[in-house]
Amino acid sequence: MKPKFLIVYLKELRESLREKRTLALLSLFTLMYPAMLGYMLNHEIKRATKPERDGVEIAVIGASRVPTLVSQFKQRSITVKDPGALDEAGITALLQAHTYPAVLRLSDKFGENYAAMRPARIELWFDSADENGKQRRDIEDVLQAYGANVASARLLAHGVSPATLAPIQVQRFDTGTNASRSAVLIGSILGVLFLPVFICGMSTAVDSTAGERERRSMEVLMAQPIRPWELVIGKWLTAASLAIAGLTLELGLAHAILCWLPLEEIGMSWSLNWAELALICIATVPLCLFAAGLQVALAMNARSFKEAQSVLSVVMLVPLIPGVVVSMMELKTANWMYMVPMLSNQTLLREMAKGIDVGALPFVMTFACSALAALLAVGFASWRMKSERYVLSV
């Protein structure tokens, strides 16, 4: 004979899978966040590789007067075009057409000041609202290098070593790996990846508690030879199963997209493998159980179906707050983070994405904190189910 909670579980699961709204939510949030992550990173890759693929062109008004500068631009794979004399309106129109990332215009007295060893003005025109910030910085680097070369040549002509102007030399060494850099960037949206935990099973949790009570079918169930805790566990496991299925599919799809994208083009990498992802999914199971238990407990205390939906829509955003606070305050990873549901899963995924060995303790703490919270939520819901006031909605 099957356990009674299992009978309730199979009955609720069969009814949930027949519900189009439940399947629509499960499909939407399983596909939406990985697709959004893939689109954002793919857009960043295309923007970073566009200068190498299409080349960079810059407009220099009066380019014939600075052949050395033009030569330095060519060495950096920057093509120089001379559009002829343009006034301020013409330069603005040229930039608004997104033809060039920047326009250089030499002052009328450029040659005279250059020959007299006075500062020769070069105007740099650009549109700060354009997405060509990296190209503009490359152009500014060439201008700075050109000015440094001219200054060095003039010092040598006067018998002064250019090294006099550089008393110290700074060498920079970046020990960050591609995996750690990608974990910092992707870690900013990890909270979104775990949000379906509180969405995929919400419709089932509300419908099987507040919905059934409103339809008066809860009284029929309570009249059966079944204990309240068995009834609660059956409904709880149904909502948790949908959350587990949705999150597992979402993380698997996100992992496949990150493995497929050429992240090395933007100095990043995704170091997780399928075995490590499976461990993360296992550690996330208690979070799904906690989310389902919390939703069942809150929905049972709502006076109506609509009230339950409204309450849960607000409550599902609460677990995101610790992750947002930690990100804004730029706190370093600490053991206490593995003791907060949701935040512990985000921290675990971020640390594993860096390619470091986190050890067994974070997995145990992540698993235990959500499991304990899930048991408390289900215990409260089981106690609430014993009340006739709840069943009769009085």
Side-chain angles (χ1 to χ4, degrees):
M1 182 177 178
K2 293 182 181 179
K4 294 179 181 180
F5 75 86
L6 184 58
I7 297 175
V8 176
Y9 166 72
L10 294 176
K11 171 254 183 188
E12 295 289 351
L13 183 62
R14 184 167 55 251
E15 291 182 354
S16 297
L17 295 179
R18 290 175 180 172
E19 184 70 30
K20 294 182 179 179
R21 179 179 57 185
T22 301
L23 295 179
L25 282 174
L26 187 64
S27 302
L28 175 63
F29 290 100
T30 297
L31 299 175
M32 182 176 66
Y33 294 124
M36 181 179 65
L37 175 62
Y39 173 79
M40 292 171 56
L41 291 176
N42 188 53
H43 177 71
E44 185 67 24
I45 292 171
K46 286 184 176 180
R47 189 172 64 174
T49 57
K50 184 178 180 180
E52 300 176 2
R53 184 175 63 253
D54 301 335
V56 179
E57 291 187 351
I58 182 175
V60 180
I61 302 174
S64 57
R65 289 182 282 171
V66 282
T68 306
L69 178 59
V70 172
S71 177
Q72 289 194 12
F73 276 126
K74 290 182 178 179
Q75 292 176 4
R76 295 286 294 270
S77 300
I78 299 176
T79 303
V80 176
K81 301 289 185 179
D82 191 347
L86 292 175
D87 55 7
E88 295 182 2
I91 295 176
T92 302
L94 196 64
L95 291 172
Q96 291 178 348
H98 304 291
T99 306
Y100 304 103
V103 176
L104 297 181
R105 184 172 70 173
L106 280 67
S107 65
D108 297 335
K109 297 182 179 181
F110 179 86
E112 178 183 342
N113 291 332
Y114 185 87
M117 294 188 181
R118 292 194 298 267
R121 189 175 77 249
I122 299 180
E123 300 174 358
L124 174 62
W125 293 71
F126 61 92
D127 183 0
S128 59
D130 201 353
E131 295 184 352
N132 295 317
K134 183 177 183 302
Q135 300 176 22
R136 187 174 68 250
R137 287 191 294 271
D138 291 340
I139 294 170
E140 292 176 351
D141 290 343
V142 173
L143 292 175
Q144 292 178 358
Y146 173 71
N149 291 339
V150 172
S152 298
R154 290 177 177 176
L155 289 173
L156 287 174
H158 288 79
V160 180
S161 173
T164 306
L165 299 180
I168 63 173
Q169 185 179 23
V170 179
Q171 289 184 325
R172 295 177 175 83
F173 298 93
D174 186 2
T175 59
T177 62
N178 289 343
S180 61
R181 283 190 293 269
S182 35
V184 171
L185 176 61
I186 300 174
S188 60
I189 52 178
L190 286 181
V192 178
L193 289 179
F194 287 99
L195 186 59
V197 169
F198 293 87
I199 297 178
C200 293
M202 183 176 67
S203 177
T204 298
V206 174
D207 187 70
S208 63
T209 51
E212 287 192 355
R213 187 179 59 179
E214 200 170 80
R215 295 190 299 267
R216 295 297 180 182
S217 59
M218 182 68 72
E219 298 178 18
V220 178
L221 289 176
M222 293 295 295
Q224 305 302 315
I226 185 173
R227 299 174 183 175
W229 67 267
E230 293 175 323
L231 190 60
V232 170
I233 288 180
K235 296 176 180 296
W236 166 53
L237 292 180
T238 302
S241 297
L242 295 176
I244 292 171
L247 183 65
T248 302
L249 291 174
E250 186 214 29
L251 290 178
L253 182 57
H255 175 67
I257 291 175
L258 291 172
C259 291
W260 172 71
L261 288 174
L263 297 176
E264 63 276 0
E265 297 288 348
I266 52 177
M268 297 170 55
S269 67
W270 182 248
S271 61
L272 282 182
N273 53 44
W274 287 103
E276 293 172 333
L277 182 68
L279 290 176
I280 292 176
C281 292
I282 293 173
T284 310
V285 169
L287 179 64
C288 299
L289 296 174
F290 165 62
L294 181 64
Q295 290 168 348
V296 168
L298 293 177
M300 287 176 61
N301 285 274
R303 295 181 178 273
S304 63
F305 182 86
K306 289 185 178 180
E307 181 182 340
Q309 282 187 321
S310 302
V311 171
L312 292 183
S313 298
V314 176
V315 170
M316 72 178 185
L317 299 177
V318 174
L320 293 176
I321 294 177
V324 174
V325 171
V326 170
S327 178
M328 293 180 60
M329 298 181 65
E330 298 182 352
L331 299 178
K332 294 183 179 180
T333 303
N335 286 335
W336 68 265
M337 295 181 182
Y338 296 106
M339 301 175 64
V340 181
M342 188 76 165
L343 176 62
S344 59
N345 299 89
Q346 299 172 14
T347 306
L348 182 64
L349 179 56
R350 184 178 65 248
E351 293 302 306
M352 293 188 67
K354 293 179 180 180
I356 61 178
D357 184 13
V358 297
L361 182 60
F363 282 94
V364 174
M365 296 174 67
T366 300
F367 192 95
C369 70
S370 296
L372 178 60
L375 292 176
L376 293 175
V378 174
F380 172 78
S382 300
W383 171 79
R384 192 73 172 90
M385 184 65 78
K386 297 178 181 179
S387 172
E388 292 183 359
R389 296 183 59 185
Y390 162 72
V391 179
L392 299 176
S393 301
V394 296

